Amino acid sequence: MYKSIPKWSIPLAVMLLLALVLTACSTPAPAPAPTPTPTPKPTPPVPTPSQPVNLNGAGATFPAPLYTKWFDEYFKLTGAKINYQAIGSGGGITQITEGTVDFGASDGIMTAEQLAKSEAARGPILHIPMTSGAVAVVYNLAGVSTGQLKLTSDVLADIYLKKIAKWNDPRIAALNPDVKLPDTAIGVVHRSDGSGTTYIFTNYLSKVSDEWKTKVGNATSVNWPGDIGGQGNAGVAGQVQQIPGAIGYVELAYAVQNKLPWAQLKNAAGKFIEPSLAATTKAAEGVTLPDDMKVMITNSSNPDAYPISGFTWILAYVNQTDKAKGETLVKMLWWAVHDGQKYVTPLDYAPLSSAAVTKAENEILSIKYQGQPLLSR
C-alpha cells in the first residue's frame, strides 16, 4: 500500500514551483551581439576645373594684326593662351605639315603636293576662312598722295617684270596726266619669305598677264625678276618707306598703320578702285563658295570689286591627336567666326559673309578626336 500525500504538502509544492518560475523569469537574458558598423565608402574627389590649354600657331602675316587682337581677347574670356608667330604663310604651311604647331595660317591655298604630304602624315588639313582683305599696291613718291596714282593690270605686271623701269614711263604717264611723275627709277619691293600675300598678288598677276603666268607663276614664293625683298608685310612696308621711288604690295592694314599711299587699280569691269573693306566684300560677292573654301577671289568681275582681294585661312587637321588641345582649338575657331568678327572691321579686314560663316562652321564641326567630333552645335 502507498502512503497518501499529506494535504498540507500540496500548497507547499505549488509555492516552490512558482518560486522557481519567477526566479527563471527574473534572470536577465544575454545581450545580443552588436551589429558591426559598415565601413564607409571613400567619397570620390570633387573634379577640379580643368586648366586652360595653351595652343601654338604660326603662319601668315596678312592677318597678324587681327589675330593679335583675337587671341588677346580670347585669353581674357577663357584663360587659354594662344601663341602665334607671324612667319609667313609658307612657314605656316611647313610647320602644320610637320606637326610642330597646333594650327597653321595661310593666305594661299596649299598645293596638291603639300596636301598629299600632310595627309600621308596625319590625314587631311582643313582651310577654315577667318576673314578677307585687300592687298594694297603702295608707293613712295614725293607729292603723290593716296589714291592719286592710277595703274592698270598690264602696267603693274610689267613693272614687276622689270619691263617698266621709270616712274615717268609713257604708259604710266598716260594713265596719270594730272600727276607730276619724276624721272626716278622704280624700286620694286617684294616678299622675301613664303607668303600668302604673295600668293594673292601673284594669283592676280597670273590672271591678268600671260607673260607673268608663264615666266613667274602663282605661289607663296616665286623667282622674282629682280630688286628688293622684305620679310613679312611689315618688312615690305618698311622698305617702301625707306626707298624713294619704291613700289610694293602689303595687306591693307599695314598700309594704313604705316601711312603709306596706295594706288587705284583698274578692275576687270574697267573701273579704277581703291582698296577698301567694301570693295573687298564686293570681290567675294557672286563667287560660288566650295565646301572646302579653297577659292580665290582676285580679279573679280563685280564692277565695284577691288581686284587684289583674298581670304585668309586657319589650317587645321581633321584628326586631332590631343583631345584637350583639339577642344580648345575648335572652341576658339567657333568664337572667331562668330563673336570674333566684331573685331574685324576696325582693323581694316572684311567680315565673313553669312555663306562663308556657314562653310566655316561645317569645317569646324568636322574636326575629330579618335573619330568623335570635338564640338557639336
Side-chain angles (χ1 to χ4, degrees), residues 11-365:
L12 180 60
V14 171
M15 290 177 65
L16 289 171
L17 181 61
L18 181 61
L20 290 170
V21 171
L22 290 173
T23 300
C25 291
S26 64
T27 303
T35 303
T37 303
T39 304
K41 294 180 180 179
T43 304
V46 177
T48 56
S50 59
Q51 294 297 314
V53 176
N54 299 334
L55 300 177
N56 294 308
T61 63
F62 184 97
L66 174 61
Y67 288 179
T68 298
K69 178 64 175 177
W70 270 357
F71 300 153
D72 180 58
E73 294 298 326
Y74 196 71
F75 174 75
K76 293 175 187 176
L77 288 171
T78 66
K81 187 175 181 180
I82 302 171
N83 303 301
Y84 182 74
Q85 295 181 332
I87 60 173
S89 295
I93 290 170
T94 298
Q95 291 207 18
I96 187 65
T97 302
E98 294 177 350
T100 56
V101 291
D102 302 305
F103 65 91
S106 178
D107 316 316
I109 299 169
M110 293 176 66
T111 66
E113 182 181 355
Q114 290 168 336
L115 289 168
K117 182 179 179 182
S118 66
E119 188 156 356
R122 280 182 51 190
I125 283 182
L126 299 168
H127 288 57
I128 305 169
M130 295 287 106
T131 184
S132 59
V135 177
V137 176
V138 294
Y139 51 86
N140 182 348
L141 288 172
V144 185
S145 58
T146 290
Q148 278 192 300
L149 183 70
K150 293 180 179 180
L151 297 173
T152 56
S153 57
D154 60 311
V155 167
L156 180 61
D158 283 350
I159 288 172
Y160 268 83
L161 284 167
K162 299 297 293 175
K163 294 172 69 175
I164 297 177
K166 295 240 181 146
W167 278 110
N168 63 350
D169 182 278
R171 292 171 65 191
I172 301 177
L175 295 170
N176 299 276
D178 299 325
V179 178
K180 187 176 180 180
L181 296 167
D183 183 22
T184 302
I186 301 175
V188 181
V189 183
H190 58 80
R191 287 286 289 270
S192 59
D193 54 329
S195 157
T197 311
T198 294
Y199 189 98
I200 296 171
F201 186 67
T202 59
N203 180 265
Y204 169 70
L205 293 182
S206 293
K207 286 181 179 179
V208 299
S209 168
D210 289 337
E211 185 176 359
W212 181 274
K213 183 178 180 179
T214 301
K215 290 183 176 180
V216 184
N218 173 207
T220 56
S221 183
V222 298
N223 291 320
W224 296 99
D227 284 11
I228 308 125
Q231 181 80 17
N233 274 285
V236 172
Q239 293 280 26
V240 173
Q241 282 180 312
Q242 295 170 23
I243 301 169
I247 189 172
Y249 59 93
V250 296
E251 196 278 321
L252 179 59
Y254 288 86
V256 173
Q257 290 170 3
N258 291 279
K259 298 182 173 58
L260 285 170
W262 55 72
Q264 293 188 54
L265 296 181
K266 192 174 185 179
N267 66 16
K271 186 176 179 180
F272 282 98
I273 300 284
E274 291 188 41
S276 69
L277 300 185
T280 301
T281 300
K282 291 293 183 183
E285 287 182 359
V287 175
T288 300
L289 300 178
D291 289 341
D292 63 10
M293 283 304 292
K294 296 172 189 170
V295 60
M296 299 302 296
I297 57 175
T298 54
N299 204 38
S300 171
S301 60
N302 189 304
D304 296 316
Y306 180 71
I308 317 181
S309 300
F311 286 110
T312 187
W313 301 272
I314 289 290
L315 308 176
Y317 279 101
V318 171
N319 302 311
Q320 296 290 304
T321 57
D322 183 307
K323 185 177 182 181
K325 284 192 171 187
E327 288 176 341
T328 299
L329 177 62
V330 295
K331 289 176 182 177
M332 180 275 289
L333 292 172
W334 193 266
W335 175 86
V337 300
H338 293 98
D339 294 350
Q341 293 294 300
K342 68 185 176 184
Y343 300 105
V344 170
T345 302
L347 292 173
D348 297 302
Y349 298 89
L352 294 175
S353 66
S354 59
V357 169
T358 298
K359 300 289 186 181
E361 287 176 345
N362 291 335
E363 290 195 281
I364 295 167
L365 292 170

